[in-house]
Amino acid sequence: MKRRALAAMLTGSVALPWAASAADLEVTHWWTSGGEAAAVAEFAKAFDATGNHWVDGAIAGSGETARSIMVSRITGGDPMGATQFNHGRQAEELVAAGLMRDLDAVAEAQDWKSVINPPSLLESCMLDGHLYCIPVNIHSWQWLWLSNQAFADAGVPVPANWEEFVAAAPALQKAGKIPLAVGQQGWQMTGIFNDLLLGLGGKDLYLKVYDEKDAEVAGGADVAKVFKALDDARTLSKGSNVQSWNEATAMVISGKAGGQVMGDWAQGEFQVAGKVAGTDYTCLPGLGEARYITTGGDSFYFPALDDPEKSKAQEVLAEVILSPETQVAFNLKKGSLPVRGDVDLAAANDCMKKGLAILKEGNVLKSTDELISPDTTTQLNDLMSEFFAESMTAEDAQKRFAGLIESAD
């Protein structure tokens, strides 16, 4: 669909080409925080403008909880019209079982191959030469979010990197602040570890561990330094008694905490709270240590349906989600980067511009969702949750991590 036609359609100034076959389409996802809800509303608005109807199937809780419900429904014969997963291998078994439809015809008609950047995003949706999902954004985990007010209250400069952040922790504690806000969920702690691995260890170490799955390297001296830093993070997070990631973000927004290691989706929460990047808060990609980001993010998969009208509506939804206009509207509110390389992001804030610059430099790597299986990810989350909750030593945690990498698939 041409941009001009789609733009006109979205504003209601032309006849709706799909109105004759309009359908209600349930879309399941786990976007329930303030920033996420504002972003997903852009998808719903654009889809409804086609004459179809977005039936919102938001599932509260973590992504892990939502995914188990989604998978159970699909395998149990109660599929939704479309469902969110992360880029990578989360829906691999569903695709292999023939429960997901391919999007080959839509992708060819819309020429997605020429506009989606980096190409690895589409590759992560491929199985046996067919395309089974559409990436809707680029989310990167490698960010340290800092409260400018918290550091002003503590009488120390806003840090420029992880090392300075750790050094400023005593001043924050003296001022009654929790240095590092962390929600009590394993995936959040895994994210901190992975960010430290790439930020402090560098690209080669990250790939040795997760791409090559080199257990010797995972148990070696370089990764030991990362576990030492993770031990620091555990100490700095004491007293951060919140559960969800957005509750931890709220601690930074309010100045109760100095910082949070979290993906760029946290930016949506700052925006909803009316905070200005570079003024009220500071964002450090790569923890201020390394100019790399991973191309994680969200994709939509479409279960195979017997209903022709809903099947057509699935194709319409896929087209609308990847249209230039919707990509801009959604990602500006989500805090993520668009998957299209041909859109105008003049309205991007300071943090988004930092991410776009790294993307333009080509300093992007595959996320762990693309490199390891969901089972391995679950084991890693369990390990990190135990480490943060107990008195496990960094040495013991590293030994278990090396064993996990040795058996990873």
Side-chain angles (χ1 to χ4, degrees), residues 13 27 50 68-69 85 154 157 196-197 216 219 250 264 276 289 291:
S13 59
V27 185
T50 69
S68 66
I69 294 172
F85 284 107
L196 290 169
L197 181 67
E216 184 175 347
D264 55 10
V276 178
E289 301 285 354
R291 285 184 64 81

Side-chain angles (χ1 to χ4, degrees), residues 109-226:
Q110 298 298 310
D111 197 20
W112 289 346
K113 185 178 290 187
S114 69
V115 297
I116 291 181
N117 181 56
S120 61
L121 294 173
L122 270 187
E123 292 167 8
S124 71
C125 288
M126 302 286 291
L127 188 68
D128 298 330
H130 297 285
L131 185 74
Y132 287 95
C133 70
I134 54 169
V136 300
N137 59 10
I138 301 172
H139 265 318
S140 51
W141 244 109
Q142 293 70 37
W143 295 84
L144 176 58
W145 304 92
L146 302 171
S147 166
N148 290 3
Q149 183 61 52
F151 288 95
D153 291 346
V156 291
V158 176
N161 53 48
W162 176 260
E163 182 179 357
E164 292 182 8
F165 175 71
V166 174
L172 289 169
Q173 292 168 325
K174 187 176 180 180
K177 315 289 184 182
I178 294 173
L180 183 64
V182 181
Q184 304 305 302
Q185 295 170 326
W187 68 268
Q188 298 183 52
M189 298 153 188
T190 296
I192 295 172
F193 172 77
N194 290 337
D195 285 2
L196 290 169
L197 181 67
L198 180 56
L200 303 181
K203 171 185 175 182
D204 292 343
L205 186 65
Y206 175 87
L207 293 176
K208 275 285 185 182
V209 171
Y210 283 123
D211 191 17
E212 299 179 28
K213 299 175 179 61
D214 191 322
E216 184 175 347
V217 170
D222 289 335
V223 175
K225 295 176 184 176
V226 177

Side-chain angles (χ1 to χ4, degrees), residues 30 63-64 67 84-92 124-125 139-142 187 190 194 206 210 213 265 294-299 301 365-378 380-381 409:
W30 57 82
E64 292 172 305
R67 282 190 293 273
Q84 172 196 9
F85 284 107
N86 294 125
H87 302 333
R89 301 175 59 182
Q90 291 176 352
E92 205 170 57
S124 71
C125 288
H139 265 318
S140 51
W141 244 109
Q142 293 70 37
W187 68 268
T190 296
N194 290 337
Y206 175 87
Y210 283 123
K213 299 175 179 61
W265 49 89
T294 56
T295 54
D298 303 293
S299 295
Y301 286 77
L365 302 171
K366 288 185 177 181
S367 70
T368 56
D369 285 330
E370 299 171 87
L371 297 174
I372 58 177
S373 70
D375 181 59
T376 299
T377 298
T378 297
L380 183 56
N381 291 345
D409 58 354

Side-chain angles (χ1 to χ4, degrees), residues 6-72:
L6 180 59
M9 180 192 73
L10 294 178
T11 58
S13 59
V14 296
L16 301 176
W18 298 295
S21 58
D24 292 343
L25 202 67
E26 182 190 9
V27 185
T28 55
H29 59 87
W30 57 82
W31 289 325
T32 57
S33 75
E36 291 172 326
V40 76
E42 295 294 336
F43 282 161
K45 180 172 66 175
F47 183 60
D48 287 353
T50 69
N52 293 285
H53 178 56
W54 173 291
V55 179
D56 198 69
I59 300 173
S62 68
E64 292 172 305
T65 299
R67 282 190 293 273
S68 66
I69 294 172
M70 295 165 179
V71 170
S72 179

